[in-house]
Amino acid sequence: MRDRVDVIAEPKRAQMLLHPTRLAILEALDAPGSATTLARRLEAPRQKLNYHLRELEAVGLVQLVEERKRGSVCERIYERAGNSYAISTAALGRLGSSPDRVSDRRSAEYQIAVASQAIVDIAALGDAAAEAGKRLPTLTLDGEVAFESPEARRRFGEELTDAVARLVRKYHSGAAESRAYKLYLGAYPKPKLPTEQQRPNGAGREKGQTDA
């Protein structure tokens, strides 16, 4: 389970995940547990939690790892199916965001749609690779840059676009046996931490730093 992100693509699984009691159960399953241990952690009736665990097991959000005999009682030990979860727009059907439904390619809406489509694609490809006993080959770049001004941000965007275009021309193969990869790049303002939001204007800002 380590590092596994369980991407929820089915409406029923999404509904299960977002149910308050079942969400609390998943949050409490940092370590494998049973209805009995969860009852102590959540201060809830064991019978109620046992019912919800069975429902979660039915859709693959938790999995049975052990059965322990305690006299005439069989205690079922569960763990989460994923270390963390993400909900795919595929769970929304026709209401899910899609890049071809956003005309402005410079808008935040388009970036959200592209990122959402990537989650749909990667989750499906990852499941297929896992079934075949293979690892899905991907490449991820994650970083941040601070711009002195909006003009610097604009120049960075132009140079980045040119650099990527050069790399695509260099490595792109038109051979029939070549495997095509989708490439997307996006940038957005880094969200402020709660402590940063509480600072007075200008507090903690380095000399010469401005909001881009």
Side-chain angles (χ1 to χ4, degrees):
M1 187 186 72
R2 186 173 181 270
D3 291 341
R4 181 173 185 266
V5 178
D6 188 1
V7 180
I8 310 301
E10 301 83 10
K12 185 175 181 179
R13 294 188 83 218
Q15 185 179 16
M16 285 279 187
L17 179 67
L18 296 176
H19 185 284
T21 300
R22 292 163 189 165
L23 192 60
I25 289 172
L26 291 170
E27 290 176 347
L29 282 176
D30 288 330
S34 65
T36 300
T37 59
L38 288 170
R40 291 194 293 266
R41 295 178 199 172
L42 300 176
E43 298 181 350
R46 181 186 62 80
Q47 294 85 351
K48 176 182 178 180
L49 296 178
N50 186 58
Y51 164 76
H52 287 297
L53 281 167
R54 297 288 186 133
E55 292 289 293
L56 290 168
E57 182 185 14
V59 296
L61 289 172
V62 301
Q63 53 197 19
L64 182 67
V65 294
E66 185 183 357
E67 289 185 327
R68 298 173 184 168
K69 285 285 187 179
R70 296 179 181 273
S72 60
V73 177
C74 180
E75 186 177 21
R76 296 167 61 88
I77 310 299
Y78 294 93
E79 69 176 5
R80 291 195 304 244
N83 186 49
S84 58
Y85 297 83
I87 297 180
S88 166
T89 53
L92 300 175
R94 294 176 60 189
L95 292 178
S97 61
S98 174
D100 58 11
R101 295 169 65 181
V102 183
S103 58
D104 184 359
R105 294 200 167 200
R106 295 188 177 184
S107 66
E109 288 77 11
Y110 186 73
Q111 186 170 155
I112 291 172
V114 170
S116 299
Q117 185 62 53
I119 292 174
V120 173
D121 293 342
I122 294 169
L125 290 167
D127 288 344
E131 289 181 7
K134 298 180 179 180
R135 182 181 178 90
L136 181 67
T138 61
L139 172 64
T140 304
L141 301 177
D142 181 20
E144 68 179 69
V145 56
F147 300 111
E148 291 184 351
S149 65
E151 174 61 20
R153 182 183 62 209
R154 184 190 65 79
R155 293 198 307 270
F156 175 85
E158 291 177 350
E159 292 182 33
L160 179 62
T161 301
D162 291 342
V164 171
R166 286 196 302 271
L167 287 171
V168 169
R169 288 194 298 268
K170 180 178 179 179
Y171 289 99
H172 178 69
S173 170
E177 66 274 12
S178 298
R179 178 69 185 270
Y181 279 69
K182 293 189 70 173
L183 172 69
Y184 67 94
L185 294 171
Y188 55 89
K190 180 183 177 182
K192 292 183 178 180
L193 298 174
T195 53
E196 294 174 329
Q197 294 174 342
Q198 294 171 2
R199 291 176 182 170
N201 291 337
R205 180 178 295 169
E206 295 182 4
K207 184 177 180 180
Q209 182 178 348
T210 59
D211 294 327

